[in-house]
């Protein structure tokens, strides 16, 4: 009985290991960052304007440089974004983080991501308001 449970667990780990994507090499990473749309900041700013309660009062907004983002067993060009927005009561929520990647020039978002793929962070005040 123990051996069959152990064998099942090992089999599951092997399957799960196949789902993890390897980090992109330098050439692949450079090609992906060049594939990011030229208007990526404008797309991000527009999304912030249309989804946040008060996009003009963002604090501590930071973003990474364009990079290869590992997603769904592959990679896509993107950036990581974090900021402190206001809520419906006018108080600051605390830092929120997002991974933003692009498919066919269109922005996609992963909210509450594992930020181990992100960095280094730099201020991005141009995205506020």
């Amino acid at each position: 009985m123990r051996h069959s449970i152990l064998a099942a667990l090992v089999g599951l780990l092997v399957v799960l290991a196949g789902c993890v994507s390897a980090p992109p090499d330098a050439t692949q990473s450079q090609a992906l960052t060049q594939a990011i749309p030229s208007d990526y900041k404008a797309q991000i700013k527009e999304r912030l304007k249309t989804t946040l309660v008060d996009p003009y009062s963002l604090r501590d907004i930071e973003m990474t440089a364009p990079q290869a983002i590992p997603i769904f067993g592959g990679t896509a060009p993107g950036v990581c974004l974090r900021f402190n927005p206001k809520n419906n009561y006018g108080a600051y929520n605390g830092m929120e983080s997002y991974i933003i990647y692009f498919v066919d020039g269109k922005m996609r978002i992963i909210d509450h991501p594992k930020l181990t793929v992100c960095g280094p962070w730099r201020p991005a005040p141009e995205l506020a308001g």
Side-chain angles (χ1 to χ4, degrees):
M1 177 75 169
R2 276 188 172 169
H3 294 295
S4 62
I5 292 173
L6 182 61
L9 286 175
V10 170
L12 178 62
L13 289 175
V14 169
V15 169
L16 290 176
C19 295
V20 176
S21 60
D25 64 22
T27 306
Q28 184 183 22
S29 182
Q30 183 179 8
L32 283 169
T33 56
Q34 289 173 349
I36 199 164
S38 60
D39 69 337
Y40 76 98
K41 286 184 182 180
Q43 287 187 46
I44 293 169
K45 189 171 182 173
E46 186 60 32
R47 179 69 63 95
L48 292 174
K49 280 184 181 180
T50 59
T51 57
L52 296 177
V53 172
D54 186 358
Y56 302 101
S57 64
L58 287 177
R59 278 191 186 169
D60 308 320
I61 189 163
E62 296 179 314
M63 184 172 59
T64 63
Q67 60 188 349
I69 304 290
I71 56 162
F72 311 117
T75 54
V79 296
C80 298
L81 182 68
R82 64 184 178 190
F83 52 84
N84 189 356
K86 280 190 174 180
N87 61 23
N88 289 333
Y89 301 106
Y92 283 95
N93 275 350
M95 294 300 278
E96 294 182 9
S97 301
Y98 302 89
I99 292 178
I100 298 169
Y101 65 98
F102 296 86
V103 176
D104 297 327
K106 302 289 185 217
M107 185 173 130
R108 306 283 191 265
I109 297 177
I110 300 173
D111 53 344
H112 310 294
K114 294 179 181 175
L115 294 178
T116 56
V117 300
C118 298
W121 295 97
R122 58 184 168 88
E126 68 275 13
L127 296 178

